Amino acid sequence: MESENDEAQALRQLILATELRLKNLKEELAEVETRGPPHGRAEETPNELESLKDSKWPLTAEEYLRYGRQMIVPSIGIQGQLRLHAASVLIVGAGGLGCPAAAYIAGAGVKSLGIVDGDTVEVSNLHRQILHSSSTVGLWKVDSAIHNLKGLNPNVEYRAYREHLSPENAADIVSRYDIVLDCTDHPKSRYLISDICVLLQKPLVSASALRTDGQLMILNHPAAPPGSNAGGPCYRCIFPKPPPANQVVSCGDGGILGPVVGAMGVLQAVEAIKLITAGLKVSHTSDDAELQDPKVLPSPSLLLFSANSPSPFRTVRLRQRRPDCFACSSQAGLTPESLTSGSLDYVAFCGSAAPVNILSAEEQISAAQYSELRNDDSKKEHVLLDVREKVQFDICHVDGSINVPFSKLQRDLDTTYPWLPETSPADAPIYVICRLGNDSQVVTRKLKESGLGDNGKRSILDIKGGLMAWKKDVDSSWPEY
Ligand SMILES: [Zn+2]
């Protein structure tokens, strides 16, 4: 009985808090509607910081309480807090890295926090993108994130950029901030962000994560101009060439464990707070850079995190700036004009993994046709080969299918075909299926070339569009994962 009362009491208080938040949102909306968004981009107004100028104390009473526990850390102190109070931070990407990074940076009390992301929240994001919630699915990620951050710390000035960072908008956006966090998940964004940070002399905290592994680097720190030996290396110094497009695996394809990417985002916030409180300069000129002694440059390093390793954290030392770097060396080909004019084509530079299209129409069958044939007694005798990785096959598969992972077939196509059922007739057709219909085409071609088709006696067909088409055209209950 008592616990029911407690629960009712807690719910009453939550309703009150939500009503208050709703009232604030309505007030914000009314204000935005009167003002109209400038340049089509929402700019959040600063609040509650304006009364500081005449005060005897540099922070408000509420701020002393709010930041007290971090201010008494010796490496932060009041000096560090005031530097945070003056700092502006840009987070590119409001996903698995950006959400925890933004939460801790907003919580630490920076002056302004900009977030760039052109995507909307999806249910499949929620296990790792902790600022979003089931109730914000379908909203812009930046709006969902900032809504949450305002609850966390209303003293920060938030700016929402509902777009992807591009060569056209990068200079305008990045120039407003002191430090940038790359929380994106694709090489083309990484090169663009690094290039604009070199050009505008902004330090960059870069991280990435996939499956159970992550990595973290501080780049362009100190943020000296291109050609200066006093600057830290840029992304191109470490990775002059992007990985082949077909080897780039995104979280969607490769999978990601929430707390792994979360840990990397938290570490980005740690590094950003360390840089700011150590006295990050607000603007860097060539003269500033000359003051830096190359002998006392911080030694750049790459932090590797591997959740399944017995010693999960490792550090690899990195070299200083590459003497022939395209972006930051004295021979740099990168200029503000080349970046904004579009002559640097980041998509072309990084390549794109285009959908595979290597089979003729006769070598493919639609999901619907395949489903019909499963129901036809005279055509039932066949082999359905599912080439997804085992972990995906275990989640769901079509009845009667045989699993031989694509990676295994690529590595070693055993031409005794040990996976073929012994009872299956030598001319039983083989249908190949995968998640989206790319890998299955490669396997279909490979099996035919290996002679399994026996000069046309046995047909080997690819199921076009894979299990995505199966869900769309045949079985709507198929679990999309
Ligand atoms: Zn470089």
Side-chain angles (χ1 to χ4, degrees):
M1 207 47 208
E2 200 171 287
S3 76
E4 265 179 42
N5 281 339
D6 287 350
E7 197 182 341
Q9 178 67 15
L11 283 169
R12 271 184 223 107
Q13 285 174 351
L14 271 173
I15 289 168
L16 279 177
T18 311
E19 282 173 349
L20 185 66
R21 180 76 189 115
L22 186 63
K23 182 173 160 276
N24 290 342
L25 281 172
K26 283 179 178 167
E27 284 170 8
E28 274 180 47
L29 174 64
E31 197 193 315
V32 169
E33 282 175 342
T34 346
R35 160 165 56 92
H39 317 299
R41 207 180 262 162
E43 301 269 347
E44 310 295 339
T45 48
N47 42 36
E48 295 165 27
L49 287 175
E50 59 279 350
S51 62
L52 298 176
K53 289 174 208 120
D54 306 323
S55 166
K56 180 174 159 191
W57 307 102
L59 299 174
T60 64
E62 193 260 5
E63 286 169 332
Y64 282 98
L65 286 175
R66 183 181 282 271
Y67 308 124
R69 294 301 173 277
Q70 81 187 22
M71 268 194 278
I72 59 176
V73 173
S75 59
I76 307 289
I78 182 68
Q79 180 67 20
Q81 191 62 48
L82 291 175
R83 284 172 170 165
L84 283 165
H85 201 276
S88 53
V89 180
L90 182 69
I91 293 184
V92 188
L97 295 166
C99 283
Y104 280 108
I105 285 170
V110 294
K111 175 171 175 282
S112 68
L113 178 58
I115 308 181
V116 188
D117 200 310
D119 287 334
T120 54
V121 180
E122 295 176 14
V123 170
S124 64
N125 303 148
L126 298 179
H127 79 116
R128 64 189 188 280
Q129 303 186 10
I130 55 166
L131 288 178
H132 312 311
S133 68
S134 304
S135 62
T136 61
V137 168
L139 300 187
W140 292 105
K141 284 188 180 179
V142 286
D143 292 335
S144 166
I146 289 173
H147 171 71
N148 201 327
L149 293 170
K150 279 182 174 171
L152 182 69
N153 190 350
N155 301 340
V156 177
E157 179 189 334
Y158 298 101
R159 290 200 198 106
Y161 302 96
R162 300 177 191 91
E163 57 200 323
H164 291 299
L165 202 73
S166 67
E168 293 76 30
N169 66 19
D172 180 36
I173 295 175
V174 172
S175 61
R176 299 159 180 242
Y177 297 89
D178 302 326
I179 180 169
V180 179
L181 275 62
D182 180 354
C183 300
T184 63
D185 64 357
H186 196 277
K188 70 176 192 295
S189 318
R190 299 200 179 283
Y191 285 99
L192 169 64
I193 295 168
S194 174
D195 287 353
I196 194 70
C197 285
V198 168
L199 287 173
L200 297 175
Q201 292 156 47
K202 309 286 181 186
L204 171 62
V205 183
S206 177
S208 65
L210 186 67
R211 301 192 183 104
T212 56
D213 299 330
Q215 59 181 47
L216 173 85
M217 288 181 288
I218 300 166
L219 299 170
N220 206 33
H221 169 67
S228 164
N229 288 330
C234 76
Y235 193 75
R236 288 185 193 264
C237 293
I238 318 293
F239 302 109
K241 290 207 178 82
N246 58 11
Q247 282 179 20
V248 175
V249 183
S250 76
C251 301
D253 301 329
I256 182 80
L257 193 60
V260 168
V261 66
M264 303 319 294
V266 169
L267 288 172
Q268 283 183 285
V270 172
E271 295 303 332
I273 290 171
K274 274 164 61 184
L275 289 176
I276 294 166
T277 54
L280 191 68
K281 285 180 183 164
V282 171
S283 73
H284 294 264
T285 65
S286 317
D287 294 342
D288 284 339
E290 299 307 323
L291 295 175
Q292 305 269 2
D293 178 358
K295 291 191 208 89
V296 296
L297 282 182
S299 63
S301 62
L302 170 67
L303 176 73
L304 298 166
F305 174 64
S306 196
N308 288 336
S309 162
S311 47
F313 287 100
R314 281 181 303 138
T315 306
V316 178
R317 286 202 51 182
L318 298 175
R319 292 213 182 105
Q320 295 291 354
R321 283 188 170 180
R322 198 177 262 264
D324 59 350
C325 176
F326 174 78
C328 71
S329 72
S330 54
Q331 305 165 38
L334 176 73
T335 61
E337 295 73 32
S338 65
L339 191 144
T340 49
S341 70
S343 65
L344 290 172
D345 187 339
Y346 290 90
V347 177
F349 176 60
C350 296
S352 59
V356 177
N357 191 10
I358 54 172
L359 299 178
S360 66
E362 298 79 57
E363 294 171 295
Q364 294 184 299
I365 180 172
S366 74
Q369 283 170 318
Y370 172 69
S371 166
E372 272 170 35
L373 149 174
R374 277 171 76 88
N375 297 324
D376 182 338
D377 280 340
S378 66
K379 292 179 183 162
K380 265 189 172 161
E381 196 75 62
H382 71 273
V383 175
L384 176 60
L385 177 65
D386 185 329
V387 298
R388 290 174 300 155
E389 296 307 305
K390 181 179 180 299
V391 68
Q392 297 191 37
F393 184 82
D394 288 347
I395 293 171
C396 49
H397 56 261
V398 176
D399 280 348
S401 53
I402 295 168
N403 181 223
V404 186
F406 181 67
S407 57
K408 186 173 186 299
L409 289 166
Q410 283 289 76
R411 206 169 45 241
D412 168 34
L413 180 67
D414 182 346
T415 49
T416 64
Y417 313 106
W419 43 270
L420 272 176
E422 281 174 19
T423 53
S424 153
D427 62 350
I430 295 172
Y431 301 99
V432 188
I433 198 163
C434 66
R435 190 175 178 189
L436 302 173
N438 291 325
D439 293 351
S440 59
Q441 290 185 52
V442 177
V443 171
T444 301
R445 168 61 24 96
K446 206 164 174 170
L447 290 177
K448 291 178 92 162
E449 284 172 358
S450 74
L452 181 60
D454 198 8
N455 291 319
K457 288 194 194 114
R458 185 205 284 273
S459 66
I460 304 173
L461 294 170
D462 164 54
I463 299 179
K464 203 174 174 179
L467 290 158
M468 195 152 82
W470 182 257
K471 178 179 176 69
K472 184 169 157 279
D473 300 330
V474 179
D475 180 5
S476 60
S477 79
W478 177 261
E480 199 175 316
Y481 53 88

